[in-house]
């Protein structure tokens, strides 16, 4: 079975705490002395089926990951293959002969943390939850700490805590708890797409889950017929994370959506948030930077909900912020706090609307103003007037493209001449998922996909297409993170004239094209041709011309 202890060269024991570089050099030395292969675990690709076949507790206890299996021999990567007693014990547990390789302890811990480990915790909590009939303790603590997951908590608390912890580990932005006829389905939104978090749960436990979330959010447990909104905070790994909760009654019972706002993590990113971080193409970025440094006027960003409009405005403000200017924002809600900028949250219950807040802001002697969203006639009128009277106004409006924005403002009864005079530029944007760099691989698009994308063989003659195979880093999705695709309309004198003459949208688009504007579809295709995203992904968010 195993080599005798006398056959194993003597290697000093690993210190338990070492930096990654020291760990790696020590592991390479062990591999050299033992004459076994060294595996760079930082680029290691886990076989998900094999990984799931070995209990997680064994991997954590013996510090190993399975690499492959062939002819009844299991190849494993261990941090310390010199420990013969542990090797024999592991061999007895897996009931297979072992072939040893060695890897660094720091990378091993990273793999086990990033892999299915949190998902396993979630699945184990779910299994325990299914086995027991739970009665929710309404007097339980309202401050949640993830450390309690493995402690002696009730199964319902363990389940909800596990769902939250797993969502944070997997970079989810939202948790959806959906009630169906016989089951409760829990999903995560990761990079804008929903994924099942685990197997469906029996419907009889539905009310207990919702009650637990209501207790944490300080909502009315007895009220089940009207929507409720709440919030709570937890501390994870030394940082505070905010959760916004929305409870909605449906035909099968109450549904819950929990928005995760990791402000401290976001603030760390936002310290260096600039337009180039968003993935815009260099030409659009250069033109936009010119407009956001104008002394006055309006910079308008448009797109559907969740298309990154507010993040783009934050990036603009971060680039132009200086001690010489006063920048004031009014938002609903203030999602992320920006240092050195005065931010005001809308509070409609108390009468603080966008319009009323904007009036007050203009009496505070601002240089630059950001209005989270223009929703009504009054806000639109004040924002346009502010832009005409020497302020630089940043704002967003819901529209499908840059030309549709004009119609939106006309419907809000804004004087066309004033609006066109105030406007510096309109930026339309969408978000697309980026191919995971850790498992990116070339692929050959099918004829059907090319037809759906309106591309011919000539269009893609020298293009290499890529896709993500799926790995631990991207949770098997093949995508990691998102980037913006944009179109920027420069309000030149010619474009202003066409708008004032109320020319058709097609004519305005043609003129913009002649002046060098790249449309959303062109921007998206450029990202595909650069190998940053896929045709399927851009077909979801842009129209084929």
């Amino acid at each position: 079975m195993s080599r005798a202890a006398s056959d194993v060269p003597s290697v000093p024991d690993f210190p338990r705490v070492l930096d990654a570089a020291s760990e790696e050099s020590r592991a390479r030395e062990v591999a050299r002395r033992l004459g076994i292969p060294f595996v760079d675990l930082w680029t290691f690709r886990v076989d998900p089926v094999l990984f799931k076949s070995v209990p997680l507790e064994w991997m954590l206890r013996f510090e190993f990951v399975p690499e492959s299996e062939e002819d009844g021999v299991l190849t494993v990567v261990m941090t310390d293959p010199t420990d013969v007693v542990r090797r024999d014990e592991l061999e007895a547990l897996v009931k297979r002969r072992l072939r040893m390789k060695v890897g660094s302890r720091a990378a091993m811990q990273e793999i086990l943390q990033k892999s299915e480990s949190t998902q396993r915790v979630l699945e184990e909590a779910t299994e325990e939850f299914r086995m027991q009939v739970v009665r929710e303790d309404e007097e339980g603590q309202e401050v949640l700490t993830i450390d309690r997951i493995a402690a002696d908590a009730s199964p319902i608390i363990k389940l909800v805590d596990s769902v939250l912890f797993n969502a944070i580990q997997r970079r989810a932005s939202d948790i959806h708890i959906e009630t169906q006829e016989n089951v409760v389905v829990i999903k995560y939104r990761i990079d804008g797409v929903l994924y099942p978090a685990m197997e469906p749960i029996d419907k009889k436990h539905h009310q207990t889950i919702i009650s637990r979330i209501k207790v944490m959010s300080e909502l009315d447990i007895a009220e089940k017929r009207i929507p409720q909104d709440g919030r709570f905070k937890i501390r994870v790994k030394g940082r505070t994370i905010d959760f916004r909760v929305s409870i909605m009654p449906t035909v099968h019972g109450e549904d819950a959506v929990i928005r995760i706002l990791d402000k401290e993590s976001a603030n760390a990113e936002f310290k260096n948030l600039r337009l180039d971080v968003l993935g815009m193409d260099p030409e659009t970025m250069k033109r936009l930077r010119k407009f956001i440094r104008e002394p006055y006027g309006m910079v308008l960003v448009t797109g559907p909900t969740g298309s990154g409009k507010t993040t783009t405005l934050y990036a603009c403000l971060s680039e132009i912020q200086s001690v010489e200017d006063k920048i004031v924002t009014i938002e609903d809600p203030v999602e992320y706090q920006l240092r050195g900028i005065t931010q005001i949250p809308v509070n409609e219950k108390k009468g603080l609307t966008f319009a009323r807040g904007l009036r007050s802001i203009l009496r505070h002697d601002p240089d630059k103003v950001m209005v989270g969203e223009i929703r009504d006639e009054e806000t639109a009128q004040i924002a346009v007037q502010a832009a005409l009277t020497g302020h630089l106004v940043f704002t967003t409006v819901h529209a499908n493209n840059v030309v549709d924005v004009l119609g939106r403002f006309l419907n809000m009864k804004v004087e066309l001449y004033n609006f066109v005079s105030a406007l510096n530029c309109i930026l339309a944007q969408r978000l697309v998922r980026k191919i995971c760099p850790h498992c990116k691989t070339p692929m050959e698009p099918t004829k059907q996909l090319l037809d759906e994308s309106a591309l011919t063989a000539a269009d893609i003659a020298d293009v290499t297409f890529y896709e993500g195979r799926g790995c631990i880093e991207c949770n098997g999705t093949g995508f990691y993170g998102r980037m913006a695709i944009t179109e920027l309309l420069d309000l030149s004198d010619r474009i202003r004239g066409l708008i004032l003459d109320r020319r058709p949208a097609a004519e305005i688009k043609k003129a913009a094209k002649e002046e060098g504007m790249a449309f959303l579809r062109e921007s998206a295709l450029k990202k595909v041709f650069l190998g940053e995203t896929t045709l399927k992904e851009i077909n979801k968010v842009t129209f084929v011309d």
Side-chain angles (χ1 to χ4, degrees):
M1 294 275 286
S2 299
R3 293 169 61 182
S6 59
D7 295 338
V8 180
S10 173
V11 178
D13 289 338
F14 289 121
R16 278 285 156 186
V17 181
L18 283 173
D19 61 54
S22 300
E23 289 267 5
E24 184 157 330
S25 61
R26 182 62 64 93
R28 287 183 185 277
E29 175 64 12
V30 172
R32 187 186 67 77
R33 290 196 190 184
L34 296 182
I36 62 176
F38 169 81
V39 176
D40 182 1
L41 288 174
W42 297 109
T43 58
F44 183 69
R45 298 279 177 265
V46 167
D47 179 343
V49 177
L50 186 59
F51 194 89
K52 284 186 176 180
S53 71
V54 180
L56 177 67
E57 312 84 69
W58 297 356
M59 287 189 260
L60 294 170
R61 181 176 156 198
F62 296 102
E63 291 187 327
F64 80 96
V65 286
E67 183 187 50
S68 61
E69 185 178 15
E70 190 176 348
D71 299 329
V73 178
L74 182 66
T75 302
V76 297
V77 185
M78 293 189 80
T79 57
D80 188 4
T82 63
D83 190 332
V84 179
V85 175
R86 294 176 80 198
R87 283 170 51 184
D88 287 344
E89 191 179 348
L90 177 59
E91 207 161 39
L93 283 170
V94 298
K95 297 184 175 67
R96 278 166 281 187
R97 285 184 53 236
L98 295 180
R99 181 179 292 123
M100 296 298 184
K101 294 185 179 181
V102 66
S104 82
R105 178 170 281 124
M108 179 74 70
Q109 290 170 350
E110 183 84 4
I111 274 207
L112 291 174
Q113 183 187 351
K114 279 188 175 178
S115 68
E116 309 265 331
S117 56
T118 52
Q119 182 68 18
R120 296 277 189 92
V121 170
L122 183 57
E123 286 168 358
E124 285 160 17
T126 313
E127 283 165 17
E128 185 175 342
F129 181 59
R130 284 172 177 160
M131 288 189 286
Q132 294 177 267
V133 178
V134 178
R135 289 185 174 81
E136 170 68 290
D137 177 10
E138 307 299 6
E139 296 176 1
Q141 291 188 7
E142 295 182 13
V143 179
L144 171 69
T145 57
I146 290 299
D147 295 336
R148 292 208 318 259
I149 291 179
D152 186 18
S154 74
I156 179 62
I157 294 174
K158 193 171 180 180
L159 175 73
V160 174
D161 288 9
S162 300
V163 167
L164 296 174
F165 183 68
N166 191 235
I168 294 162
Q169 290 287 93
R170 292 179 62 180
R171 304 180 295 108
S173 60
D174 302 84
I175 303 166
H176 288 238
I177 300 171
E178 300 174 357
T179 316
Q180 298 178 5
E181 192 172 356
N182 300 312
V183 293
V184 178
V185 177
I186 299 180
K187 299 176 183 175
Y188 294 148
R189 188 177 292 281
I190 303 170
D191 292 334
V193 178
L194 285 173
Y195 297 96
M198 56 180 151
E199 292 296 314
I201 294 169
D202 194 307
K203 173 79 175 287
K204 67 183 178 184
H205 303 303
H206 158 257
Q207 198 52 55
T208 333
I209 297 171
I210 298 295
S211 294
R212 172 63 187 158
I213 293 168
K214 285 182 177 179
V215 166
M216 293 164 66
S217 312
E218 300 182 346
L219 299 177
D220 185 353
I221 293 171
E223 181 55 73
K224 298 180 175 66
R225 294 164 298 177
I226 60 171
Q228 296 188 70
D229 295 315
R231 60 173 58 195
F232 63 90
K233 294 182 180 182
I234 64 172
R235 285 192 70 77
V236 182
K237 296 179 182 173
R239 69 178 193 264
T240 302
I241 298 177
D242 286 352
F243 294 81
R244 287 215 179 88
V245 178
S246 174
I247 308 285
M248 178 76 69
T250 71
V251 289
H252 295 300
E254 291 175 293
D255 280 11
V257 174
I258 304 172
R259 165 66 58 89
I260 303 171
L261 293 175
D262 192 351
K263 290 188 181 181
E264 290 182 30
S265 171
N267 284 345
E269 295 169 13
F270 278 28
K271 284 176 187 171
N272 302 309
L273 180 65
R274 301 177 69 80
L275 290 171
D276 42 15
V277 176
L278 305 179
M280 289 185 184
D281 62 273
E283 183 57 34
T284 301
M285 201 156 47
K286 180 182 171 185
R287 292 166 61 209
L288 182 58
R289 280 182 169 144
K290 177 174 78 79
F291 293 122
I292 65 177
R293 287 180 169 81
E294 299 281 349
Y296 57 84
M298 182 183 283
V299 174
L300 194 58
V301 182
T302 185
T305 303
S307 59
K309 300 187 295 295
T310 305
T311 305
T312 297
L313 291 185
Y314 280 158
C316 292
L317 294 180
S318 296
E319 291 215 356
I320 63 170
Q321 182 184 358
S322 76
V323 292
E324 298 174 355
D325 290 331
K326 175 152 187 174
I327 302 176
V328 186
T329 77
I330 180 159
E331 305 168 56
D332 183 20
V334 175
E335 293 200 0
Y336 302 109
Q337 292 161 14
L338 302 176
R339 190 182 298 276
I341 292 176
T342 305
Q343 294 174 275
I344 302 165
V346 164
N347 189 338
E348 296 195 354
K349 289 180 182 175
K350 302 290 185 183
L352 179 55
T353 61
F354 274 117
R356 189 170 177 183
L358 187 51
R359 277 205 192 88
S360 298
I361 287 171
L362 295 176
R363 291 195 288 270
H364 263 251
D365 186 30
D367 298 290
K368 276 72 172 182
V369 177
M370 173 180 144
V371 184
E373 185 185 342
I374 290 181
R375 299 174 180 168
D376 56 69
E377 184 180 327
E378 190 178 4
T379 311
Q381 300 276 10
I382 302 167
V384 168
Q385 285 304 316
L388 288 170
T389 52
H391 302 90
L392 184 60
V393 178
F394 295 86
T395 189
T396 73
V397 69
H398 284 291
N400 289 325
N401 55 54
V402 290
V403 178
D404 289 351
V405 170
L406 308 172
R408 283 297 307 275
F409 273 83
L410 289 177
N411 286 340
M412 287 190 270
K413 298 183 173 61
V414 173
E415 176 62 44
L416 184 60
Y417 182 80
N418 287 344
F419 175 58
V420 171
S421 302
L423 207 53
N424 290 351
C425 68
I426 306 172
L427 179 77
Q429 76 174 53
R430 302 286 188 277
L431 291 179
V432 293
R433 292 182 293 171
K434 294 190 286 186
I435 298 171
C436 174
H438 303 93
C439 59
K440 183 175 176 179
T441 183
M443 58 87 72
E444 196 68 39
T446 63
K447 185 177 186 306
Q448 182 183 351
L449 181 58
L450 291 175
D451 290 343
E452 289 171 358
S453 309
L455 292 173
T456 64
D459 296 329
I460 60 164
D462 300 317
V463 177
T464 303
F465 291 89
Y466 293 89
E467 65 181 358
R469 291 193 310 270
C471 64
I472 283 175
E473 299 288 338
C474 61
N475 290 309
T477 64
F479 295 97
Y480 193 98
R482 291 188 289 175
M483 61 184 168
I485 54 169
T486 56
E487 62 182 18
L488 182 66
L489 179 65
D490 178 352
L491 268 290
S492 64
D493 291 341
R494 179 185 176 191
I495 299 291
R496 283 193 168 95
L498 291 172
I499 295 169
L500 289 173
D501 291 342
R502 298 179 184 263
R503 305 304 301 167
E507 195 172 329
I508 296 171
K509 281 184 178 181
K510 184 182 176 188
K513 178 75 174 170
E514 289 170 1
E515 292 186 1
M517 174 176 155
F519 295 111
L520 275 173
R521 183 69 184 179
E522 294 169 342
S523 173
L525 282 171
K526 193 180 290 183
K527 299 288 187 190
V528 174
F529 295 161
L530 288 171
E532 295 175 11
T533 189
T534 67
L535 285 174
K536 282 184 182 176
E537 189 64 17
I538 68 163
N539 288 347
K540 288 186 202 170
V541 296
T542 60
F543 288 107
V544 177
D545 294 332

